[in-house]
């Protein structure tokens, strides 16, 4: 039975067993939950399908959140990606998928919280892009989510996944770390390389605050999901190239928790600081939640 107390232990167990992290996690969870592996695989496959559906729904150019703060950007990015842009079609399509899934969430659509609703665009933005590019099979994409889940369980056990407790580093940072580890496995990397990718992703988002404008998971949350995808992709590429993190993943997780505890309350999902406290942020909050009647309609 795995205890998910450290990334190092998770990788050690996988390498000792001569298997991937995903296979280790699937086998362990089947044993702990007393379920057939195929049943758990099917459940994870359904989650991947929901990710695909959330991206598709978020690509609707007419989609808007109730607040009016978000919607339509996924469609804009998808159109732009067709031109190649600066970074090329793959990266821009990844950005489009990330925006779409996050906008689907803001519009109260069905998403997969991975690990949270506020960071729901990062895993779809990475895993689905690799799948769409033909760089992995459907089965490999599903299995990679077990890798992401295993890393997520360590993060949740040893630190936090909540923006209210640890800032956005605990949400988008954790999601990027999970995605980076999963990407490495998808591209044939070792468990140790997945651990290095996890560490590099997490430390590059260390200290990220949670300052939602008007207290809504839209601004700047949605575009921070895009930053998380870029960090995850670059961390995975570095790890696959043989680059190692000087600070081990578990120490990065510990540092993340300590940094989160040191953040002032104003920067932990209260909408009292950061971008939420800017003049525009305050204006938007008043516009969205104003109880004053509209002078034009009297309502």
């Amino acid at each position: 039975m795995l205890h998910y107390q450290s990334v190092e232990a998770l990788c050690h167990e996988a390498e000792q067993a001569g298997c991937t992290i995903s296979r280790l996690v699937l086998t362990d969870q089947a044993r702990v939950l007393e379920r057939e592996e195929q049943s758990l695989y099917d459940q994870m496959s359904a989650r991947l399908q929901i990710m695909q559906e959330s991206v598709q729904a978020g690509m609707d150019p007419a989609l808007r959140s109730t607040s009016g703060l978000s919607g339509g950007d996924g469609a804009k990015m998808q159109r732009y990606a067709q031109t190649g842009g600066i970074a090329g079609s793959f990266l821009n399509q990844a950005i489009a998928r990330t925006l779409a899934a996050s906008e689907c969430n803001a519009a109260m659509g069905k998403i997969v919280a991975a690990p949270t609703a506020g960071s729901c665009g990062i895993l779809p933005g990475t895993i689905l892009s690799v799948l769409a590019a033909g760089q992995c099979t459907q089965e490999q994409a599903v299995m990679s989510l077990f890798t992401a889940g295993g890393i997520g369980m360590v993060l949740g056990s040893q630190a936090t996944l909540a923006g209210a407790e640890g800032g956005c580093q605990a949400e988008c940072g954790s999601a990027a770390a999970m995605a980076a580890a999963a990407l490495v496995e998808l591209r044939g990397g070792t468990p140790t390389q997945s651990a290095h990718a996890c560490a590099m992703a997490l430390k590059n988002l260390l200290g990220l605050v949670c300052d939602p404008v008007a207290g809504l998971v839209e601004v700047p949350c949605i575009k921070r999901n895009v930053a998380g995808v870029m960090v995850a992709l670059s961390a995975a590429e570095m790890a696959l190239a043989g680059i190692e993190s000087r600070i081990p993943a578990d120490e990065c997780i510990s540092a993340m928790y300590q940094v989160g505890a040191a953040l002032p309350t104003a920067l932990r999902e209260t909408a009292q600081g950061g971008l939420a406290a800017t003049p525009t942020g305050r204006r938007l909050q008043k516009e969205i939640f104003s109880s004053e009647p509209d002078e034009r309609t009297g309502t």
Side-chain angles (χ1 to χ4, degrees):
M1 175 180 174
L2 300 176
H3 297 288
Y4 303 97
Q5 295 297 304
S6 79
V7 173
E8 181 182 12
L10 196 62
C11 292
H12 176 74
E13 289 290 335
E15 290 179 344
Q16 283 291 102
C19 68
T20 60
I21 295 174
S22 62
R23 171 52 58 187
L24 184 75
V25 172
L26 174 56
T27 300
D28 173 72
Q29 290 296 294
R31 180 170 57 249
V32 171
L33 298 174
E34 298 182 348
R35 292 175 57 184
E36 295 293 328
E37 287 189 14
Q38 186 62 48
S39 172
L40 288 178
Y41 176 89
D42 291 343
Q43 186 175 9
M44 191 65 86
S45 180
R47 287 173 180 154
L48 184 68
Q49 179 63 33
I50 292 170
M51 288 183 181
Q52 292 172 318
E53 291 169 358
S54 69
V55 167
Q56 183 177 2
M59 290 294 186
D60 182 355
L63 182 74
R64 295 293 183 275
S65 64
T66 301
S67 70
L69 287 176
S70 64
D73 286 345
K76 289 178 184 176
M77 199 68 210
Q78 186 183 43
R79 289 195 298 272
Y80 175 74
Q82 294 171 1
T83 71
I86 298 170
S89 178
F90 179 88
L91 281 178
N92 285 314
Q93 287 285 1
I95 293 172
R97 291 185 180 94
T98 304
L99 290 170
S102 296
E103 289 183 326
C104 177
N105 173 57
M108 300 302 170
K110 187 176 183 180
I111 53 92
V112 177
T116 65
S119 58
C120 71
I122 294 174
L123 272 171
T126 52
I127 304 304
L128 294 181
S129 293
V130 173
L131 179 61
Q135 296 181 16
C136 72
T137 65
Q138 182 82 10
E139 180 182 0
Q140 289 171 327
V142 173
M143 289 299 292
S144 75
L145 296 181
F146 285 100
T147 301
I151 298 296
M153 283 190 277
V154 175
L155 283 156
S157 171
Q158 296 303 301
T160 179
L161 301 172
E165 187 176 7
C168 195
Q169 59 169 4
E171 297 203 20
C172 285
S174 293
M178 292 162 60
L183 284 168
V184 168
E185 183 176 303
L186 272 181
R187 299 297 292 151
T190 67
T192 294
Q193 287 177 318
S194 284
H196 284 301
C198 168
M200 288 186 281
L202 193 59
K203 69 185 183 184
N204 285 330
L205 289 169
L206 200 65
L208 186 60
V209 303
C210 184
D211 51 352
V213 170
L216 303 172
V217 187
E218 299 183 64
V219 178
C221 319
I222 292 174
K223 295 179 181 68
R224 281 186 181 157
N225 273 252
V226 173
V229 165
M230 296 298 102
V231 167
L233 287 167
S234 59
E237 294 280 40
M238 286 189 286
L240 288 166
I243 297 171
E244 299 181 351
S245 173
R246 293 293 185 180
I247 309 299
D250 293 308
E251 292 182 33
C252 291
I253 292 172
S254 177
M256 186 262 278
Y257 185 71
Q258 293 169 18
V259 169
L263 288 175
T265 303
L267 298 176
R268 285 190 278 172
E269 210 171 333
T270 60
Q272 295 175 353
L275 296 176
T278 61
T280 298
R282 293 299 188 205
R283 175 179 59 79
L284 289 171
Q285 181 176 17
K286 288 180 181 179
E287 289 177 358
I288 294 167
F289 295 111
S290 175
S291 59
E292 296 295 322
D294 189 314
E295 293 179 356
R296 294 167 297 176
T297 63
T299 59

